[in-house]
Amino acid sequence: MADREKSLEESVWNALKAVRYPGMSRDIVSFGFVERVEVADGDVVVRLRVATHKPEAAEQVRREAEQAVAGVDGVERAHVDLHVDQPATRDPAAAQQQAVSADPELIPDVEHVVAVASGKGGVGKSTVAANLAIALGREGHAVGLLDADIYGPSMPMMFGITERPRIQGNRILPFEKYGVKLMSLGFILDIDTPVIWRGPMVMRGIEQMLADVEWGVLDYMIVDLPPGTGDAQLTITQRVPLSGAVIVTTPQDVALIDARKGLAMFRKVNVPVIGIIENMSGFVCPHCGEQTDVFKRGGGERTAEVLETRFLGRVPLDPRITAGGDAGMPIVVEDEAGAHGQVFHALARAVADEVAKQAGKPKLSIV
Ligand SMILES: Nc1ncnc2c1ncn2[C@@H]1O[C@H](COP(=O)(O)OP(=O)(O)O)[C@@H](O)[C@H]1O
Ligand SMILES: [Mg+2]
């Protein structure tokens, strides 16, 4: 493609990013509604695909997108195609019949939804999600934490909350602790129900935690996803309007293979990967101060490099982290002024920085 067309295409993406979904703060590019931009000389054709119950809102988006594109320097003719999908309904049987796509109306007042994911369980995904959410809150952002792990929702324990959520009218109130609004599948699902039966209930449970919870206006919602890259993860990844995903891994090579699978899953559904966090990276002996790399070291960094994503940082292995998780007080609360506090604040800043960058970057269509 000629350079001129390439730069025109970029200008068109930028113009589309100024178009907001009616009544919402987020733009249509970040929602993933722009399926394709085609440029041939001065002719531009844009294809939008929107999942909504309100076709008039989608039509308004189409008109505004067309105006925005027509206003770009160098564009002679602008045409915007619109395809409206029905959002998946709350009826799980019907939902299974429908194409899966993100529904922005589920959480209109949330600016960035960031998934924390891992290729397998036990790598510290929930620990990272909890501490990251709290650190982002302490950095001055309005933060929510959604525990969507069907296999082992652990936020009730990590936050030390044993009550049931309160209901106000027909809304569920999130818990608020350590400056974070919190909701977990653990508060909703009966954990003794076998996972295989929980499966079909999961999307309904997750939709309820998005749409029926009084989240209010949030800068970030951190989502603790179930580990792995199977159907359940893929469905949630597609259905929740994600801005990006953070992948947690341990440093050894076998774990990194799973991290790569996680990355591939997000790229497949066009969710930007914000970066990789290496957890359980090095153990500092509390007695002699010597560092041991229990699970090797540096694997996360190498993987990030190979897969062309950002290495966000590493979290050391420390029994205090385990103890904090079990006691309902995440380490970033207990050790705010210490080394662990610094680690998670730095991670929070790296995530915020990368999310802002991703939001400002034209999302090129995947071919
Ligand atoms: N950096 C760490 N140092 C020590 N223990 C950790 C660390 N990260 C996680 N853990 C512990 O490992 C266990 C698994 O972590 P968890 O966050 O539940 O993993 P996942 O959500 O990936 O299954 C928990 O007991 C947790 O407290
Ligand atoms: Mg977990």
Side-chain angles (χ1 to χ4, degrees), residues 118 121-127 147 149 152-155 158 224-227:
S118 65
V123 300
K125 179 175 52 63
S126 302
T127 304
D147 177 6
D149 190 340
S154 46
M155 292 312 167
M158 288 194 176
D224 187 8
L225 281 186

Side-chain angles (χ1 to χ4, degrees), residues 287-303:
H287 309 294
C288 71
E290 188 179 305
Q291 173 158 337
T292 312
D293 292 331
V294 183
F295 297 119
K296 307 210 310 201
R297 189 186 169 90
E301 230 159 342
R302 279 197 306 280
T303 306

Side-chain angles (χ1 to χ4, degrees), residues 275-322:
I276 292 182
I277 294 177
E278 187 176 281
N279 187 31
M280 308 193 185
S281 174
F283 169 70
V284 181
C285 172
H287 309 294
C288 71
E290 188 179 305
Q291 173 158 337
T292 312
D293 292 331
V294 183
F295 297 119
K296 307 210 310 201
R297 189 186 169 90
E301 230 159 342
R302 279 197 306 280
T303 306
E305 204 174 302
V306 172
L307 299 175
E308 296 182 343
T309 185
R310 179 161 167 181
F311 181 68
L312 296 162
R314 54 171 57 88
V315 178
L317 183 71
D318 187 333
R320 287 168 64 203
I321 295 184
T322 326

Side-chain angles (χ1 to χ4, degrees), residues 192-226:
D192 293 330
T193 309
V195 167
I196 192 155
W197 291 348
R198 277 189 247 155
M201 304 178 208
V202 165
M203 274 326 294
R204 215 169 25 166
I206 286 173
E207 279 182 11
Q208 211 180 28
M209 292 197 299
L210 291 167
D212 298 347
V213 170
E214 197 56 52
W215 290 106
V217 177
L218 296 180
D219 299 315
Y220 294 94
M221 177 185 280
I222 303 296
V223 184
D224 187 8
L225 281 186

